[in-house]
Amino acid sequence: MSKTISDYEHIKRLIIIIFLLVAGFIAVRFIFVPKDFYEYGHYRGGSLTENMDRPLNYAGSQPCADCHEEKHRLWSSSKHKTVNCEDCHGALRKHTEDPSSVKPRKPAGRDFCLLCHAKNVSKPGNFPQIRSWEHNPGLNCADCHNPHNPLPLGEGGRFAPAGEG
Amino acid sequence: MNNFSRREFLGLSLKSIMALMALGFPKKLLAMTTLDGYKVEEHLWGYGIDVDKCIGCGRCVDACKVENHVPDDPFFFRTWVERYAERAGGKVEVDSRNGGRDGFHDLKDKKDLVKSFFVPKICNHCEHPPCVQVCPVGATYKSPDGVVLVDPGYCIGCRYCIQACPYGARYLHPEKHVADKCTFCYQRITKGLKPACVEACPTGTRLFGNLKDENSPINRFIKAKKVMVLKPDLGTRPKIYYSGIDKEVR
């Protein structure tokens, strides 16, 4: 009887060792794996809200209407209505919350307009493009085209060709 | 033995199922996650790119960098624009100076040009993302609404994911030393706004929406156009849908 028990002695030890290893593994996991790991999958659940909580910089064009109603109205029925205010004036979320905190940029000169409108074979053919060296060189685009309603004639238009119309 | 009628058996089964349900057993499976009023499971985000409209102005690249504080250097991009030029004889050239952020000068050599066009690139937010599979620590993952995100606090900067991405959409952030990539502007889309690149696009090349909503811009786009994804043979199942590209775009 006592002999058979001692036969199991080494197995007992083995079981204790395995038990300790498993307990140790669980303890180490408990310490190092954050609580929210596996909340939704094989990652830290809290990372979702952290990604949500990053700061925003762009406001979109709609909020501008609250304070620049006239500009917004003109723009929203113009050829530039698909060009976001912030494409030209920069990221302005801070400005919409506190207008004096950020002075919006106002692109001047020709280069900025040419970013979109310079003649380029790779552009879709139906997009309005000009050859800068032929199209009124030396003059500011905004002298003739109101950026908020770029057709030279019509509301806010800045150009009526002398002798024509 | 036979003191249990079929009727009683069925009745008892039904009762025990109801009891289990009442105990809240399947609750976890059905649960909807709401984070700050955003119902995660009601969304599956998808993105469309209509190459026929792109003018290569790079406003998307600029807006992305500003919105997400991507380093200014010309080799870190979450989104960028490539110019394809196909020459007679089938040779295809691709260039993307500063990711297209400063626009593109006209091609100088137009002699044997067959066609040329711009292709905006971005993380494909794959249904089966290879980058997620290789991450050794679970620091990059696909969110329940289908966006592949990074957990910068958990990332060890080993670059496996950068190597694994077939689309070259990841980079190692030079200051934080962690992997960084497009998040569809997760901070914006979870508040009902569009990603900064979509907001900035002046021509409607880029569009975005909820694939679970029949009438979203992305579903209307997929229905109306013949759309393709990049490298479909890899089985990654991208959620960026392109219209107007040929097989030479990779």
Side-chain angles (χ1 to χ4, degrees), chain A residues 33-88:
Chain A
V33 176
K35 281 205 185 55
D36 55 352
F37 213 86
Y38 293 118
E39 194 178 353
Y40 312 111
H42 184 72
Y43 57 94
R44 223 166 41 79
S47 168
L48 271 186
T49 29
E50 282 163 27
N51 270 296
M52 282 174 72
D53 291 345
R54 301 239 172 97
L56 280 67
N57 292 298
Y58 283 90
S61 297
Q62 198 48 50
C64 318
D66 293 347
C67 306
H68 304 289
E69 201 189 335
E70 186 50 33
K71 278 259 171 352
H72 190 274
R73 192 193 54 75
L74 184 63
W75 165 85
S76 57
S77 55
S78 81
K79 285 274 184 185
H80 268 173
K81 62 175 179 286
T82 56
V83 188
N84 194 321
C85 311
E86 288 167 307
D87 275 338
C88 299

Short mmCIF file of all heavy atoms in Angstrom, two decimals, chain A residues 33-88:
data_model
loop_
_atom_site.label_atom_id
_atom_site.label_comp_id
_atom_site.label_asym_id
_atom_site.label_seq_id
_atom_site.Cartn_x
_atom_site.Cartn_y
_atom_site.Cartn_z
N VAL A 33 -0.62 42.08 -19.44
CA VAL A 33 -1.66 42.32 -20.44
C VAL A 33 -2.69 43.27 -19.86
O VAL A 33 -3.27 43.01 -18.81
CB VAL A 33 -2.34 40.99 -20.86
CG1 VAL A 33 -3.47 41.26 -21.83
CG2 VAL A 33 -1.31 40.06 -21.49
N PRO A 34 -2.89 44.42 -20.54
CA PRO A 34 -3.83 45.40 -20.00
C PRO A 34 -5.23 44.80 -19.88
O PRO A 34 -5.60 43.91 -20.63
CB PRO A 34 -3.82 46.52 -21.05
CG PRO A 34 -2.69 46.23 -21.95
CD PRO A 34 -2.34 44.80 -21.83
N LYS A 35 -6.01 45.36 -18.95
CA LYS A 35 -7.35 44.82 -18.69
C LYS A 35 -8.24 44.85 -19.91
O LYS A 35 -9.09 43.99 -20.10
CB LYS A 35 -8.01 45.62 -17.57
CG LYS A 35 -7.51 45.20 -16.21
CD LYS A 35 -8.50 45.51 -15.11
CE LYS A 35 -7.88 45.17 -13.78
NZ LYS A 35 -6.57 45.87 -13.58
N ASP A 36 -8.07 45.90 -20.74
CA ASP A 36 -9.00 46.03 -21.87
C ASP A 36 -8.53 45.26 -23.10
O ASP A 36 -9.14 45.34 -24.15
CB ASP A 36 -9.25 47.50 -22.20
CG ASP A 36 -7.96 48.26 -22.46
OD1 ASP A 36 -6.88 47.69 -22.23
OD2 ASP A 36 -8.03 49.43 -22.88
N PHE A 37 -7.42 44.52 -22.99
CA PHE A 37 -7.02 43.66 -24.09
C PHE A 37 -8.09 42.59 -24.27
O PHE A 37 -8.64 42.09 -23.30
CB PHE A 37 -5.66 43.03 -23.80
CG PHE A 37 -4.83 42.82 -25.04
CD1 PHE A 37 -4.02 43.82 -25.53
CD2 PHE A 37 -4.88 41.62 -25.72
CE1 PHE A 37 -3.26 43.64 -26.68
CE2 PHE A 37 -4.13 41.43 -26.86
CZ PHE A 37 -3.32 42.44 -27.35
N TYR A 38 -8.40 42.23 -25.51
CA TYR A 38 -9.47 41.26 -25.84
C TYR A 38 -10.87 41.79 -25.55
O TYR A 38 -11.82 41.03 -25.62
CB TYR A 38 -9.28 39.94 -25.10
CG TYR A 38 -8.06 39.19 -25.55
CD1 TYR A 38 -7.02 38.92 -24.68
CD2 TYR A 38 -7.94 38.78 -26.87
CE1 TYR A 38 -5.88 38.26 -25.10
CE2 TYR A 38 -6.81 38.12 -27.30
CZ TYR A 38 -5.79 37.86 -26.42
OH TYR A 38 -4.68 37.22 -26.85
N GLU A 39 -11.00 43.09 -25.24
CA GLU A 39 -12.34 43.64 -25.03
C GLU A 39 -13.18 43.47 -26.30
O GLU A 39 -14.34 43.09 -26.26
CB GLU A 39 -12.25 45.11 -24.65
CG GLU A 39 -13.53 45.67 -24.08
CD GLU A 39 -13.37 47.14 -23.67
OE1 GLU A 39 -12.24 47.67 -23.70
OE2 GLU A 39 -14.39 47.74 -23.32
N TYR A 40 -12.57 43.78 -27.45
CA TYR A 40 -13.25 43.59 -28.74
C TYR A 40 -12.52 42.60 -29.63
O TYR A 40 -13.07 42.13 -30.61
CB TYR A 40 -13.39 44.91 -29.49
CG TYR A 40 -13.91 46.04 -28.65
CD1 TYR A 40 -13.09 47.10 -28.31
CD2 TYR A 40 -15.23 46.03 -28.20
CE1 TYR A 40 -13.57 48.15 -27.53
CE2 TYR A 40 -15.71 47.07 -27.43
CZ TYR A 40 -14.88 48.12 -27.10
OH TYR A 40 -15.35 49.14 -26.33
N GLY A 41 -11.25 42.34 -29.35
CA GLY A 41 -10.44 41.47 -30.18
C GLY A 41 -9.02 41.45 -29.66
O GLY A 41 -8.77 41.88 -28.53
N HIS A 42 -8.09 41.01 -30.52
CA HIS A 42 -6.70 40.87 -30.08
C HIS A 42 -6.00 42.22 -30.07
O HIS A 42 -5.07 42.47 -30.83
CB HIS A 42 -5.99 39.89 -31.02
CG HIS A 42 -4.59 39.59 -30.62
ND1 HIS A 42 -4.26 38.82 -29.54
CD2 HIS A 42 -3.40 39.97 -31.15
CE1 HIS A 42 -2.97 38.72 -29.42
NE2 HIS A 42 -2.41 39.42 -30.38
N TYR A 43 -6.51 43.13 -29.28
CA TYR A 43 -5.89 44.45 -29.12
C TYR A 43 -6.48 45.13 -27.89
O TYR A 43 -7.47 44.67 -27.32
CB TYR A 43 -6.10 45.31 -30.37
CG TYR A 43 -7.55 45.51 -30.76
CD1 TYR A 43 -8.26 46.64 -30.33
CD2 TYR A 43 -8.21 44.60 -31.55
CE1 TYR A 43 -9.58 46.83 -30.69
CE2 TYR A 43 -9.54 44.78 -31.91
CZ TYR A 43 -10.22 45.90 -31.48
OH TYR A 43 -11.52 46.07 -31.83
N ARG A 44 -5.87 46.26 -27.51
CA ARG A 44 -6.33 47.00 -26.34
C ARG A 44 -7.59 47.79 -26.70
O ARG A 44 -7.55 48.67 -27.56
CB ARG A 44 -5.22 47.97 -25.91
CG ARG A 44 -4.96 48.07 -24.43
CD ARG A 44 -3.64 48.79 -24.19
NE ARG A 44 -3.48 49.92 -25.08
CZ ARG A 44 -4.07 51.11 -24.90
NH1 ARG A 44 -4.82 51.33 -23.85
NH2 ARG A 44 -3.88 52.09 -25.76
N GLY A 45 -8.71 47.49 -26.07
CA GLY A 45 -9.97 48.16 -26.39
C GLY A 45 -9.87 49.67 -26.27
O GLY A 45 -10.46 50.40 -27.06
N GLY A 46 -9.12 50.14 -25.29
CA GLY A 46 -9.01 51.58 -25.06
C GLY A 46 -8.38 52.32 -26.22
O GLY A 46 -8.55 53.53 -26.36
N SER A 47 -7.65 51.57 -27.08
CA SER A 47 -7.02 52.22 -28.23
C SER A 47 -8.06 52.80 -29.19
O SER A 47 -7.80 53.81 -29.85
CB SER A 47 -6.14 51.20 -28.96
OG SER A 47 -5.75 51.70 -30.21
N LEU A 48 -9.25 52.19 -29.23
CA LEU A 48 -10.31 52.73 -30.10
C LEU A 48 -10.66 54.15 -29.68
O LEU A 48 -10.68 55.07 -30.50
CB LEU A 48 -11.57 51.86 -29.98
CG LEU A 48 -11.74 50.67 -30.91
CD1 LEU A 48 -13.11 50.07 -30.71
CD2 LEU A 48 -11.57 51.09 -32.36
N THR A 49 -10.94 54.34 -28.38
CA THR A 49 -11.31 55.68 -27.93
C THR A 49 -10.14 56.65 -28.04
O THR A 49 -10.33 57.83 -28.31
CB THR A 49 -11.85 55.66 -26.49
OG1 THR A 49 -11.23 54.58 -25.80
CG2 THR A 49 -13.34 55.49 -26.47
N GLU A 50 -8.91 56.14 -27.86
CA GLU A 50 -7.76 57.03 -28.02
C GLU A 50 -7.67 57.55 -29.45
O GLU A 50 -7.37 58.71 -29.69
CB GLU A 50 -6.47 56.30 -27.65
CG GLU A 50 -6.27 56.18 -26.14
CD GLU A 50 -5.24 55.13 -25.77
OE1 GLU A 50 -4.34 54.85 -26.58
OE2 GLU A 50 -5.37 54.57 -24.67
N ASN A 51 -7.94 56.67 -30.43
CA ASN A 51 -7.93 57.11 -31.82
C ASN A 51 -9.07 58.10 -32.08
O ASN A 51 -8.92 59.02 -32.88
CB ASN A 51 -8.06 55.91 -32.76
CG ASN A 51 -6.70 55.33 -33.14
OD1 ASN A 51 -5.91 55.99 -33.80
ND2 ASN A 51 -6.44 54.11 -32.73
N MET A 52 -10.21 57.89 -31.39
CA MET A 52 -11.34 58.81 -31.56
C MET A 52 -11.05 60.18 -30.97
O MET A 52 -11.57 61.19 -31.44
CB MET A 52 -12.58 58.25 -30.85
CG MET A 52 -13.29 57.16 -31.59
SD MET A 52 -14.61 56.47 -30.58
CE MET A 52 -15.82 57.79 -30.63
N ASP A 53 -10.23 60.20 -29.92
CA ASP A 53 -10.06 61.44 -29.17
C ASP A 53 -8.93 62.33 -29.69
O ASP A 53 -8.63 63.35 -29.08
CB ASP A 53 -9.80 61.12 -27.69
CG ASP A 53 -11.05 60.57 -27.04
OD1 ASP A 53 -12.14 60.71 -27.64
OD2 ASP A 53 -10.95 59.98 -25.95
N ARG A 54 -8.27 61.92 -30.79
CA ARG A 54 -7.22 62.79 -31.34
C ARG A 54 -7.83 64.14 -31.73
O ARG A 54 -8.99 64.22 -32.12
CB ARG A 54 -6.63 62.13 -32.60
CG ARG A 54 -6.02 60.77 -32.33
CD ARG A 54 -4.55 60.74 -32.70
NE ARG A 54 -3.96 59.49 -32.26
CZ ARG A 54 -3.79 58.43 -33.06
NH1 ARG A 54 -4.12 58.50 -34.32
NH2 ARG A 54 -3.26 57.33 -32.58
N PRO A 55 -7.02 65.21 -31.65
CA PRO A 55 -7.56 66.54 -31.96
C PRO A 55 -7.89 66.72 -33.44
O PRO A 55 -7.24 66.15 -34.31
CB PRO A 55 -6.41 67.47 -31.55
CG PRO A 55 -5.19 66.63 -31.60
CD PRO A 55 -5.60 65.25 -31.23
N LEU A 56 -8.93 67.50 -33.70
CA LEU A 56 -9.33 67.81 -35.08
C LEU A 56 -8.75 69.16 -35.47
O LEU A 56 -8.62 70.05 -34.63
CB LEU A 56 -10.85 67.88 -35.18
CG LEU A 56 -11.65 66.58 -35.30
CD1 LEU A 56 -11.56 65.78 -34.03
CD2 LEU A 56 -13.08 66.88 -35.65
N ASN A 57 -8.42 69.34 -36.76
CA ASN A 57 -7.89 70.61 -37.21
C ASN A 57 -8.75 71.27 -38.29
O ASN A 57 -8.73 72.48 -38.42
CB ASN A 57 -6.46 70.44 -37.73
CG ASN A 57 -5.50 70.10 -36.61
OD1 ASN A 57 -5.32 70.90 -35.70
ND2 ASN A 57 -4.92 68.91 -36.64
N TYR A 58 -9.48 70.48 -39.05
CA TYR A 58 -10.33 71.04 -40.11
C TYR A 58 -11.78 71.13 -39.65
O TYR A 58 -12.30 70.21 -39.01
CB TYR A 58 -10.24 70.20 -41.38
CG TYR A 58 -8.95 70.43 -42.14
CD1 TYR A 58 -7.82 69.67 -41.89
CD2 TYR A 58 -8.87 71.44 -43.10
CE1 TYR A 58 -6.64 69.89 -42.58
CE2 TYR A 58 -7.70 71.68 -43.79
CZ TYR A 58 -6.59 70.90 -43.53
OH TYR A 58 -5.42 71.14 -44.21
N ALA A 59 -12.42 72.23 -40.00
CA ALA A 59 -13.80 72.45 -39.58
C ALA A 59 -14.80 72.12 -40.68
O ALA A 59 -15.96 71.84 -40.40
CB ALA A 59 -13.99 73.90 -39.16
N GLY A 60 -14.37 72.14 -41.94
CA GLY A 60 -15.31 72.03 -43.05
C GLY A 60 -15.85 73.40 -43.41
O GLY A 60 -15.62 74.38 -42.69
N SER A 61 -16.57 73.50 -44.52
CA SER A 61 -17.01 74.82 -45.00
C SER A 61 -18.30 75.29 -44.32
O SER A 61 -18.57 76.49 -44.28
CB SER A 61 -17.23 74.78 -46.51
OG SER A 61 -16.01 74.51 -47.16
N GLN A 62 -19.08 74.37 -43.81
CA GLN A 62 -20.40 74.74 -43.27
C GLN A 62 -20.31 75.73 -42.10
O GLN A 62 -21.02 76.73 -42.10
CB GLN A 62 -21.18 73.48 -42.88
CG GLN A 62 -22.68 73.71 -42.73
CD GLN A 62 -23.28 74.46 -43.91
OE1 GLN A 62 -23.07 74.11 -45.06
NE2 GLN A 62 -23.99 75.56 -43.62
N PRO A 63 -19.42 75.50 -41.12
CA PRO A 63 -19.37 76.41 -39.97
C PRO A 63 -19.01 77.84 -40.35
O PRO A 63 -19.38 78.77 -39.64
CB PRO A 63 -18.27 75.81 -39.08
CG PRO A 63 -18.15 74.39 -39.51
CD PRO A 63 -18.49 74.37 -40.96
N CYS A 64 -18.33 78.04 -41.47
CA CYS A 64 -17.95 79.40 -41.87
C CYS A 64 -19.18 80.25 -42.13
O CYS A 64 -19.15 81.47 -41.96
CB CYS A 64 -17.09 79.38 -43.14
SG CYS A 64 -15.84 78.11 -43.19
N ALA A 65 -20.28 79.59 -42.53
CA ALA A 65 -21.50 80.32 -42.88
C ALA A 65 -22.02 81.13 -41.70
O ALA A 65 -22.65 82.17 -41.89
CB ALA A 65 -22.57 79.35 -43.37
N ASP A 66 -21.78 80.68 -40.48
CA ASP A 66 -22.29 81.38 -39.30
C ASP A 66 -21.80 82.81 -39.25
O ASP A 66 -22.53 83.70 -38.82
CB ASP A 66 -21.85 80.65 -38.02
CG ASP A 66 -22.50 79.29 -37.89
OD1 ASP A 66 -23.46 79.03 -38.66
OD2 ASP A 66 -22.05 78.48 -37.06
N CYS A 67 -20.56 83.05 -39.62
CA CYS A 67 -19.98 84.38 -39.46
C CYS A 67 -19.65 85.07 -40.79
O CYS A 67 -19.60 86.28 -40.85
CB CYS A 67 -18.71 84.31 -38.62
SG CYS A 67 -18.97 83.49 -37.05
N HIS A 68 -19.42 84.28 -41.82
CA HIS A 68 -19.12 84.88 -43.13
C HIS A 68 -20.25 84.52 -44.09
O HIS A 68 -20.03 83.93 -45.15
CB HIS A 68 -17.77 84.38 -43.68
CG HIS A 68 -16.62 84.60 -42.76
ND1 HIS A 68 -16.09 85.85 -42.52
CD2 HIS A 68 -15.87 83.75 -42.01
CE1 HIS A 68 -15.08 85.75 -41.67
NE2 HIS A 68 -14.93 84.48 -41.35
N GLU A 69 -21.45 84.90 -43.70
CA GLU A 69 -22.65 84.47 -44.40
C GLU A 69 -22.62 84.86 -45.88
O GLU A 69 -22.89 84.04 -46.75
CB GLU A 69 -23.86 85.11 -43.72
CG GLU A 69 -25.15 84.37 -44.01
CD GLU A 69 -26.35 85.17 -43.50
OE1 GLU A 69 -26.18 85.97 -42.56
OE2 GLU A 69 -27.44 84.97 -44.06
N GLU A 70 -22.24 86.10 -46.14
CA GLU A 70 -22.28 86.61 -47.50
C GLU A 70 -21.27 85.87 -48.39
O GLU A 70 -21.59 85.42 -49.49
CB GLU A 70 -21.98 88.12 -47.46
CG GLU A 70 -22.12 88.84 -48.78
CD GLU A 70 -23.44 88.53 -49.50
OE1 GLU A 70 -24.47 88.33 -48.80
OE2 GLU A 70 -23.44 88.47 -50.75
N LYS A 71 -20.03 85.71 -47.88
CA LYS A 71 -19.00 84.97 -48.63
C LYS A 71 -19.46 83.53 -48.90
O LYS A 71 -19.29 83.02 -50.00
CB LYS A 71 -17.69 84.92 -47.81
CG LYS A 71 -16.83 86.17 -47.91
CD LYS A 71 -15.71 85.95 -48.87
CE LYS A 71 -14.91 87.20 -49.20
NZ LYS A 71 -15.38 88.49 -48.74
N HIS A 72 -20.05 82.93 -47.89
CA HIS A 72 -20.46 81.55 -48.00
C HIS A 72 -21.58 81.41 -49.05
O HIS A 72 -21.60 80.48 -49.85
CB HIS A 72 -20.92 81.01 -46.64
CG HIS A 72 -21.14 79.53 -46.62
ND1 HIS A 72 -22.34 78.96 -46.99
CD2 HIS A 72 -20.31 78.50 -46.30
CE1 HIS A 72 -22.23 77.63 -46.88
NE2 HIS A 72 -21.02 77.34 -46.48
N ARG A 73 -22.50 82.37 -49.04
CA ARG A 73 -23.62 82.31 -49.97
C ARG A 73 -23.12 82.45 -51.41
O ARG A 73 -23.49 81.68 -52.29
CB ARG A 73 -24.63 83.43 -49.65
CG ARG A 73 -25.97 83.29 -50.36
CD ARG A 73 -26.79 84.57 -50.25
NE ARG A 73 -26.07 85.76 -50.72
CZ ARG A 73 -25.85 86.05 -51.99
NH1 ARG A 73 -26.30 85.26 -52.94
NH2 ARG A 73 -25.17 87.15 -52.33
N LEU A 74 -22.24 83.41 -51.63
CA LEU A 74 -21.68 83.63 -52.95
C LEU A 74 -20.95 82.38 -53.43
O LEU A 74 -21.15 81.89 -54.55
CB LEU A 74 -20.70 84.82 -52.88
CG LEU A 74 -20.07 85.30 -54.19
CD1 LEU A 74 -21.15 85.82 -55.12
CD2 LEU A 74 -19.05 86.41 -53.89
N TRP A 75 -20.13 81.84 -52.55
CA TRP A 75 -19.31 80.66 -52.87
C TRP A 75 -20.18 79.45 -53.19
O TRP A 75 -19.90 78.69 -54.11
CB TRP A 75 -18.39 80.39 -51.68
CG TRP A 75 -17.72 79.05 -51.64
CD1 TRP A 75 -16.57 78.69 -52.25
CD2 TRP A 75 -18.17 77.89 -50.93
NE1 TRP A 75 -16.26 77.37 -51.96
CE2 TRP A 75 -17.23 76.86 -51.16
CE3 TRP A 75 -19.28 77.61 -50.11
CZ2 TRP A 75 -17.36 75.59 -50.60
CZ3 TRP A 75 -19.42 76.34 -49.56
CH2 TRP A 75 -18.45 75.35 -49.82
N SER A 76 -21.27 79.29 -52.42
CA SER A 76 -22.02 78.03 -52.52
C SER A 76 -22.84 77.94 -53.80
O SER A 76 -23.39 76.88 -54.09
CB SER A 76 -22.91 77.82 -51.28
OG SER A 76 -23.78 78.91 -51.14
N SER A 77 -22.94 79.03 -54.57
CA SER A 77 -23.59 78.89 -55.87
C SER A 77 -22.59 79.16 -57.00
O SER A 77 -22.98 79.40 -58.14
CB SER A 77 -24.80 79.83 -55.96
OG SER A 77 -24.40 81.15 -55.69
N SER A 78 -21.30 79.15 -56.66
CA SER A 78 -20.29 79.47 -57.66
C SER A 78 -19.65 78.21 -58.22
O SER A 78 -19.90 77.10 -57.76
CB SER A 78 -19.19 80.33 -57.02
OG SER A 78 -18.28 79.51 -56.31
N LYS A 79 -18.79 78.40 -59.21
CA LYS A 79 -18.01 77.29 -59.77
C LYS A 79 -17.06 76.69 -58.75
O LYS A 79 -16.56 75.59 -58.92
CB LYS A 79 -17.20 77.79 -60.97
CG LYS A 79 -18.04 78.03 -62.20
CD LYS A 79 -18.19 76.74 -62.99
CE LYS A 79 -18.96 76.99 -64.28
NZ LYS A 79 -19.21 75.73 -65.00
N HIS A 80 -16.76 77.43 -57.71
CA HIS A 80 -15.83 76.96 -56.68
C HIS A 80 -16.54 76.27 -55.51
O HIS A 80 -15.93 76.04 -54.47
CB HIS A 80 -14.96 78.11 -56.17
CG HIS A 80 -13.67 78.24 -56.92
ND1 HIS A 80 -12.80 79.28 -56.75
CD2 HIS A 80 -13.09 77.44 -57.85
CE1 HIS A 80 -11.75 79.14 -57.54
NE2 HIS A 80 -11.91 78.03 -58.22
N LYS A 81 -17.83 75.96 -55.67
CA LYS A 81 -18.56 75.42 -54.51
C LYS A 81 -18.02 74.07 -54.05
O LYS A 81 -18.27 73.66 -52.91
CB LYS A 81 -20.06 75.32 -54.82
CG LYS A 81 -20.42 74.40 -55.96
CD LYS A 81 -21.95 74.30 -56.06
CE LYS A 81 -22.38 73.41 -57.21
NZ LYS A 81 -22.17 74.09 -58.52
N THR A 82 -17.27 73.37 -54.92
CA THR A 82 -16.68 72.11 -54.50
C THR A 82 -15.29 72.31 -53.90
O THR A 82 -14.68 71.36 -53.44
CB THR A 82 -16.56 71.14 -55.69
OG1 THR A 82 -15.81 71.77 -56.72
CG2 THR A 82 -17.92 70.75 -56.22
N VAL A 83 -14.79 73.54 -53.95
CA VAL A 83 -13.48 73.83 -53.37
C VAL A 83 -13.70 74.33 -51.94
O VAL A 83 -14.19 75.44 -51.73
CB VAL A 83 -12.70 74.87 -54.20
CG1 VAL A 83 -11.28 75.02 -53.69
CG2 VAL A 83 -12.70 74.50 -55.67
N ASN A 84 -13.37 73.51 -50.98
CA ASN A 84 -13.55 73.82 -49.57
C ASN A 84 -12.86 75.13 -49.20
O ASN A 84 -11.74 75.38 -49.65
CB ASN A 84 -12.93 72.65 -48.78
CG ASN A 84 -13.33 72.64 -47.33
OD1 ASN A 84 -13.41 73.68 -46.70
ND2 ASN A 84 -13.58 71.47 -46.82
N CYS A 85 -13.51 75.94 -48.37
CA CYS A 85 -12.89 77.19 -47.90
C CYS A 85 -11.48 76.92 -47.39
O CYS A 85 -10.54 77.69 -47.61
CB CYS A 85 -13.67 77.83 -46.76
SG CYS A 85 -15.43 77.99 -47.01
N GLU A 86 -11.33 75.80 -46.68
CA GLU A 86 -10.04 75.52 -46.02
C GLU A 86 -8.96 75.07 -47.00
O GLU A 86 -7.79 75.04 -46.64
CB GLU A 86 -10.25 74.48 -44.91
CG GLU A 86 -10.99 75.06 -43.71
CD GLU A 86 -11.48 73.99 -42.77
OE1 GLU A 86 -12.17 73.07 -43.26
OE2 GLU A 86 -11.18 74.05 -41.57
N ASP A 87 -9.34 74.70 -48.23
CA ASP A 87 -8.32 74.42 -49.25
C ASP A 87 -7.51 75.69 -49.49
O ASP A 87 -6.30 75.64 -49.73
CB ASP A 87 -8.98 74.01 -50.57
CG ASP A 87 -9.29 72.53 -50.61
OD1 ASP A 87 -8.67 71.77 -49.85
OD2 ASP A 87 -10.17 72.14 -51.39
N CYS A 88 -8.18 76.84 -49.46
CA CYS A 88 -7.50 78.09 -49.74
C CYS A 88 -7.06 78.80 -48.46
O CYS A 88 -6.01 79.43 -48.43
CB CYS A 88 -8.42 79.02 -50.53
SG CYS A 88 -8.90 78.33 -52.14
#
